[in-house]
Amino acid sequence: MNSLDNWAAQSPQYETIGLCVAYAVLMIGLGLFFNKRAQASTSGFYSADANVGWFVNSFAVLATVMSGGGMMGNVGVASSLGVLYICAGNFACGPAVGLAGLYVAGPLRKSRSRTLSDFFQKRFESRAITILCVAILSIAYTGYMVAQMKASGTVGEYLLGTGFIPTMVVTWVIFTAYTILGGMLAVTYNDFIQGLIMTAVAVMIGMTALIGYGFDYSALMAAATEAYPNMGLFHMPIWSYIGFFFIWFLVNQLAPSVCMRAASAKNPFSAGIGLNLAFFWLAVFTFFQMMVSGPAARALVGTEGLVNNDAYLLVLVNTQFGVFMKGLLGAAVFSAIMSTMAGVLLAVSASIANDVICKIWTFSDKKQAKVGVITVLVVACIVLAFSFNPPDLLALMYSKFMALMVCGLWAPLIFGIWWKRMTAKGALWGMLAGSISYGLLFFGLTMPDFSELFFAIPISILFIVIGSLTSPPPSAEKVRELESWHEKFDVEADVILGKEG
């Protein structure tokens, strides 16, 4: 055990805890503030009445994409497996979100789809497809949310001195409470604040590390390489790097939480601008996390490494900063955790409640919002139950769950948006073929990490094409509806930019 692991058992740090508690009170307060509007209708609960501006949405996207697992996991993977590996995954996020703003956000927003499964229902009018989509999302995002829960427990164990399980449970109560209270409106404005805090903290930690080396980045990397010789090398199978890149390049084009950001925007133009601005914030955030804080943490820890690889960022801050910065880091990590958990929890529960339960049984609009609240609570409880003994390396753990979602849903979504000839049969075959082939490859063969997608996605596309071409084409009415989702929105853009009205 590295000597720096010993401080994990320290007594409670009350000043640091106080700052985190103050932040938690603010988050719940926002939930209470937006409670009345959120509970009035399903539109208010799931999509904030489609009235969120592009600047707020841009930081909300960053907070959702760069989760607590990402904030700590990025530094952990960089410190323990090298910067090139974690860069392979994270450098894909910004361009992916930007591309989503160009060719996914607009059509989704114009289709008035609140969730990914809602889009599939409108596009193909098939309950089987909707249920399969919800099943894939639920499995993938349960694993993703478990990783965030581990991040919260690690903060309690290594930074606050409050213990792994107690901190994890308290965090669960907080994000579940404000998600239930305020729905998408509270989640969005919480995420906006959280995105600001996360970016500021990432930059401050990175800049402090650079100052310690006299702004000599080569000296920082030399120290990190001395502690870990593979720090700047390609030392794993090349397909692991390529696969890691493409997993996150594709995830952020179809992530339900990102899709819901598009639904919450004021209009398609605002949705696209918000996602493209998020591209810039993501680039800033990931640079300081992976390229600066990761190597700096490993240089500090030394050759032995840590027992808990996800604690490198916490070690760096604990040894370099005072109480206020520790509290700010705690708030930033909890920001990342809760923003992602709330957005993903809302997306998954919306798919289950809005697209399955409320399609089988008829409820009034207000009662549908109540069903959404109950579903949020049930999903949150399931996640908590799986969170008490999670595996190591958060970023890799949740990336493998995201690979399932990519292999099962990416091709059906993109073809569903852009190929008029695609049919319900093609979508169903594509989802089944992609997700099943990924599962068989993952569990049945020993392959480089993330390389399964290079087989599963082509198989999904093949079955989409075969299924679509061997079934009757969509009706003329359905084709016209699809075309309407691609109509230009230049007039809306002009109004927003002040050229008209």
Side-chain angles (χ1 to χ4, degrees):
M1 177 184 290
N2 191 298
S3 61
L4 288 171
D5 282 302
N6 292 334
W7 58 266
Q10 63 190 328
S11 60
Q13 306 296 296
Y14 293 107
E15 298 91 341
T16 304
I17 293 170
L19 288 170
C20 294
V21 169
Y23 173 77
V25 170
L26 172 63
M27 296 298 98
I28 294 178
L30 280 173
L32 290 169
F33 179 78
F34 290 118
N35 176 256
K36 185 175 181 180
R37 288 170 62 184
Q39 302 295 334
S41 67
T42 52
S43 176
F45 190 75
Y46 289 127
S47 58
D49 289 321
N51 197 35
V52 178
W54 55 269
F55 185 74
V56 170
N57 242 349
S58 68
F59 273 104
V61 169
L62 176 136
T64 301
V65 171
M66 280 299 145
S67 60
M71 189 164 191
M72 290 170 55
N74 284 342
V75 177
V77 173
S79 299
S80 59
L81 294 177
V83 295
L84 295 181
Y85 191 44
I86 192 62
C87 283
N90 279 269
F91 280 173
C93 294
V97 170
L99 282 174
L102 292 175
Y103 72 89
V104 175
L108 282 178
R109 180 63 180 78
K110 276 186 168 291
S111 71
R112 300 185 182 277
S113 300
R114 294 173 182 158
T115 63
L116 200 59
S117 49
D118 188 24
F119 169 80
F120 282 120
Q121 177 61 36
K122 289 180 178 179
R123 175 67 171 87
F124 300 111
E125 299 177 353
S126 167
R127 182 173 293 178
I129 291 174
T130 303
I131 292 174
L132 180 58
C133 174
V134 171
I136 293 171
L137 291 175
S138 298
I139 294 170
Y141 272 107
T142 294
Y144 189 75
M145 288 188 281
V146 166
Q148 311 313 314
M149 295 296 289
K150 183 196 174 185
S152 69
T154 302
V155 172
E157 184 177 11
Y158 278 79
L159 194 67
L160 304 181
T162 51
F164 184 91
I165 291 177
T167 307
M168 184 179 70
V169 172
V170 170
T171 304
W172 177 86
V173 170
I174 293 169
F175 74 71
T176 302
Y178 83 68
T179 303
I180 288 174
L181 287 170
M184 190 61 172
L185 202 57
V187 168
T188 296
Y189 282 96
N190 281 342
D191 285 0
F192 170 64
I193 295 170
Q194 290 159 351
L196 289 171
I197 293 174
M198 289 164 59
T199 304
V201 169
V203 172
M204 282 191 287
I205 295 173
M207 288 300 294
T208 302
L210 285 173
I211 290 170
Y213 286 89
F215 287 101
D216 186 347
Y217 187 73
S218 61
L220 187 157
M221 283 298 294
T225 303
E226 183 178 354
Y228 180 63
N230 290 326
M231 179 58 63
L233 300 178
F234 287 104
H235 62 98
M236 300 173 68
I238 190 64
W239 288 108
S240 292
Y241 293 90
I242 298 173
F244 201 11
F245 176 90
F246 275 101
I247 284 295
W248 287 101
F249 182 74
L250 301 178
V251 161
N252 286 297
Q253 297 174 37
L254 60 80
S257 50
V258 175
C259 294
M260 290 182 78
R261 294 286 169 224
S264 69
K266 291 183 177 180
N267 47 58
F269 180 77
S270 179
I273 290 295
L275 289 176
N276 278 281
L277 184 58
F279 181 175
F280 174 75
W281 304 135
L282 283 166
V284 173
F285 181 88
T286 53
F287 171 78
F288 282 100
Q289 285 289 98
M290 300 178 303
M291 302 300 293
V292 181
S293 294
R298 188 52 190 256
L300 173 68
V301 169
T303 57
E304 294 181 28
L306 294 174
V307 172
N308 185 346
N309 286 317
D310 294 309
Y312 274 96
L313 177 64
L314 305 180
V315 170
L316 179 64
V317 172
N318 189 71
T319 55
Q320 300 295 310
F321 295 97
V323 170
F324 177 78
M325 191 61 188
K326 291 178 186 177
L328 195 59
L329 173 68
V333 174
F334 284 124
S335 292
I337 294 165
M338 291 190 288
S339 61
T340 298
M341 289 294 291
V344 171
L345 183 60
L346 199 61
V348 173
S349 63
S351 296
I352 296 171
N354 190 57
D355 304 331
V356 177
I357 296 175
C358 292
K359 290 293 191 298
I360 298 174
W361 294 282
T362 303
F363 300 97
S364 67
D365 198 41
K366 193 167 185 178
K367 285 187 177 181
Q368 285 186 36
K370 300 292 185 185
V371 172
V373 168
I374 295 171
T375 308
V376 166
L377 184 58
V378 171
V379 173
C381 288
I382 293 171
V383 169
L384 180 63
F386 281 100
S387 299
F388 290 98
N389 189 30
D392 196 22
L393 283 175
L394 293 167
L396 299 187
M397 170 188 163
Y398 64 67
S399 294
K400 291 175 182 178
F401 279 96
M402 292 297 96
L404 169 66
M405 184 179 74
V406 165
C407 293
L409 299 180
W410 179 80
L413 173 67
I414 301 306
F415 277 74
I417 290 175
W418 292 99
W419 190 30
K420 299 176 186 178
R421 183 61 178 78
M422 186 175 176
T423 66
K425 180 180 176 182
L428 183 62
W429 283 18
M431 287 183 187
L432 287 170
S435 54
I436 291 174
S437 59
Y438 172 77
L440 292 175
L441 291 168
F442 184 82
F443 291 106
L445 297 176
T446 301
M447 302 177 67
D449 286 344
F450 311 115
S451 61
E452 298 90 352
L453 73 91
F454 296 110
F455 298 91
I457 290 179
I459 290 171
S460 176
I461 293 173
L462 177 63
F463 275 82
I464 286 172
V465 174
I466 294 173
S468 296
L469 295 181
T470 56
S471 56
S475 66
E477 181 181 359
K478 178 58 67 176
V479 171
R480 284 194 297 270
E481 181 184 24
L482 178 59
E483 289 174 343
S484 71
W485 300 344
H486 294 274
E487 291 175 355
K488 300 294 183 182
F489 39 90
D490 295 336
V491 173
E492 291 173 340
D494 288 341
V495 170
I496 292 172
L497 295 174
K499 296 178 182 178
E500 292 184 13

